[in-house]
Amino acid sequence: MVIILWVVLTPLVLGVLALGLYFLKAIVQGTIEGLRSGTEDEVAAEETAARVAALGLLPPERQNTELPAPLQPALTVAMAAARAGDWQPAADLLDATAAERDWELRTHFCEQLADVAADDDTWLLSWESARPDDPAAALLRARSTVVLAWKVRGAKGAQYTTQEQFEGFRRTLLRSREEHTRAAALAPEGDPAPYVGAIWTAIGLGLPHEELRRIWKELTSRAPYHYEAHFSALQYWCAKWRGSEALARAFAVRAAAEAPAGTLMSVFPLIAHFEHDDSDSADVDRTPEMYATVDAVLADVAAADPDHPRLPEVRHLLAYYLYLQERWDEALEQFRRVDGHAGAFLPWRYRGNAAEEFCRMRDECVAQVSDAQAGKAG
């Protein structure tokens, strides 16, 4: 009986032992391969980090997440003086833009100074007292009221915003309508700035399309290719605010088609695409149409004034789409030009950690470019 059991069980025991050894070997091999893969990944990451450092590119913790580029020195001085209670540098700065008829710079300066006034307008009150009908002071008052309204509302979704916040938001924006009317009446001839701020009032109050078209007619009769004006109007026409995907795309395509080279208007079809793209697939960014759109932005950027105040913003979005299209060299060039600042509204403000996402994409470009160069050398 024992012999019979031994004859019957021995193959089973040996089979179990063999199967156990097979799985043990597989586990050991998998562990070794995993360790090897982990080591290779670590080495690759270290090599990429070294290349990033060699290029002088900054780590996430050293990226400015508030701005898309450094502020102009004169603007930095004016903002610091305003916070200290001195309005004269801000007045001189805006007076110079009016004298030079540099409307892009005027609205850019106004946007930054309005944010300071929304936090504390003591200096602006002093300015208004000293110069009751100053066009620049009136402009800043109107724009800062819009900024203040959005601060009152808060940046959270509607479900997390209180009724009191909504009421304060609307009440403040209604005041800004009157202030923009006054700013437009006092504005230098040809100045579109009061109408740019009025677009954001229209967005917040949900004013009808007819009102936006009225504002737009006044604005474009003064500055037909004004970047911030077009960006603001495109936000109005987006589905998330007062329009739709079709209206936003139509507005963006028309703006790009009608504008001269160097005005940066070619970026608006990209922005309209970004604002309405809910796909998880990169294929939507690699169509012939999207390649042509990105190429048009590249050409527009090359033709633009290097001192155009909105150029860095465009470079950020351009870097993003070049990355998505795996155009590593071209993407890296744009990343390098804006490195140190990850505060562009698009695309980084839409990310949970702007600096981390900026550096992740940038560093992948560095790795891909380095690997390609090594392949050519080999």
Side-chain angles (χ1 to χ4, degrees):
M1 184 67 179
V2 173
I3 294 172
I4 293 172
L5 286 173
W6 173 256
V7 171
V8 172
L9 293 175
T10 296
L12 292 174
V13 172
L14 292 174
V16 170
L17 288 172
L19 188 62
L21 289 171
Y22 171 79
F23 281 117
L24 180 60
K25 182 180 179 181
I27 291 170
V28 170
Q29 287 179 335
T31 301
I32 293 172
E33 290 175 2
L35 290 171
R36 184 183 298 119
S37 175
T39 301
E40 290 174 354
D41 289 345
E42 289 175 4
V43 170
E46 290 174 359
E47 290 177 350
T48 298
R51 291 165 183 159
V52 167
L55 291 171
L57 303 176
L58 301 176
E61 62 271 17
R62 294 184 60 191
Q63 300 290 331
N64 183 315
T65 56
E66 299 298 322
L67 297 168
L71 294 177
Q72 295 87 339
L75 176 58
T76 301
V77 169
M79 292 171 68
R83 291 189 180 100
D86 183 4
W87 54 267
Q88 191 65 57
D92 293 343
L93 198 64
L94 290 176
D95 287 348
T97 62
E100 297 165 6
R101 300 181 64 80
D102 191 335
W103 307 131
E104 289 284 1
L105 205 56
R106 185 173 180 81
T107 53
H108 172 60
F109 288 166
C110 179
E111 180 184 23
Q112 298 297 325
L113 289 164
D115 190 63
V116 178
D119 290 334
D120 182 355
D121 68 347
T122 304
W123 60 282
L124 182 54
L125 288 168
S126 297
W127 184 354
E128 291 168 324
S129 177
R131 299 181 185 176
D133 293 322
D134 188 295
L139 174 63
L140 268 179
R141 173 57 65 191
R143 190 66 185 265
S144 66
T145 300
V146 175
V147 175
L148 177 61
W150 290 92
K151 287 178 182 285
V152 168
R153 184 202 180 280
K156 295 181 179 180
Q159 66 271 34
Y160 304 111
T161 305
T162 67
Q163 185 63 32
E164 184 180 3
Q165 285 175 299
F166 277 124
E167 290 174 357
F169 176 61
R170 181 172 179 79
R171 186 168 57 250
T172 308
L173 280 180
L174 285 171
R175 190 170 80 240
S176 79
R177 293 194 74 181
E178 299 175 2
E179 292 170 351
H180 278 115
T181 299
R182 179 171 182 270
L186 293 172
E189 183 180 357
D191 182 10
Y195 301 98
V196 176
I199 293 174
W200 288 99
T201 298
I203 291 173
L205 291 175
L207 298 182
H209 293 179
E210 292 74 16
E211 177 62 13
L212 194 283
R213 291 190 178 101
R214 183 196 69 78
I215 294 170
W216 192 244
K217 183 177 180 181
E218 293 284 355
L219 198 158
T220 52
S221 68
R222 293 164 170 80
Y225 309 116
H226 191 281
Y227 183 92
E228 189 188 346
H230 282 77
F231 178 85
S232 304
L234 179 54
Q235 291 297 309
Y236 176 94
W237 292 117
C238 282
K240 66 181 180 181
W241 289 116
R242 308 304 170 188
S244 66
E245 181 175 355
L247 287 170
R249 288 186 183 276
F251 175 85
V253 169
R254 185 167 59 252
E258 295 174 352
T263 56
L264 304 177
M265 300 286 105
S266 63
V267 78
F268 292 115
L270 271 190
I271 294 177
H273 173 81
F274 182 93
E275 291 284 6
H276 299 92
D277 180 17
D278 57 3
S279 171
D280 293 329
S281 173
D283 292 341
V284 298
D285 304 308
R286 298 173 185 168
T287 64
E289 179 186 3
M290 284 297 289
Y291 276 105
T293 300
V294 171
D295 285 341
V297 180
L298 273 170
D300 210 3
V301 164
D305 182 345
D307 294 326
H308 193 301
R310 306 294 171 172
L311 181 56
E313 298 171 24
V314 177
R315 289 194 187 280
H316 279 278
L317 194 62
L318 183 55
Y320 173 79
Y321 276 105
L322 288 167
Y323 165 86
L324 293 180
Q325 294 179 352
E326 298 184 352
R327 299 164 68 171
W328 309 117
D329 286 280
E330 294 168 297
L332 181 56
E333 175 61 20
Q334 300 304 320
F335 276 115
R336 289 180 65 175
R337 286 178 175 267
V338 295
D339 191 64
H341 291 77
F345 182 68
L346 301 174
W348 316 120
R349 293 282 186 92
Y350 281 57
R351 300 300 188 265
N353 190 319
E356 290 287 349
E357 190 71 356
F358 175 91
C359 290
R360 182 186 69 79
M361 291 187 179
R362 181 203 64 192
D363 293 358
E364 186 174 347
C365 292
V366 171
Q368 293 288 347
V369 169
S370 298
D371 289 347
Q373 291 172 346
K376 290 179 181 179

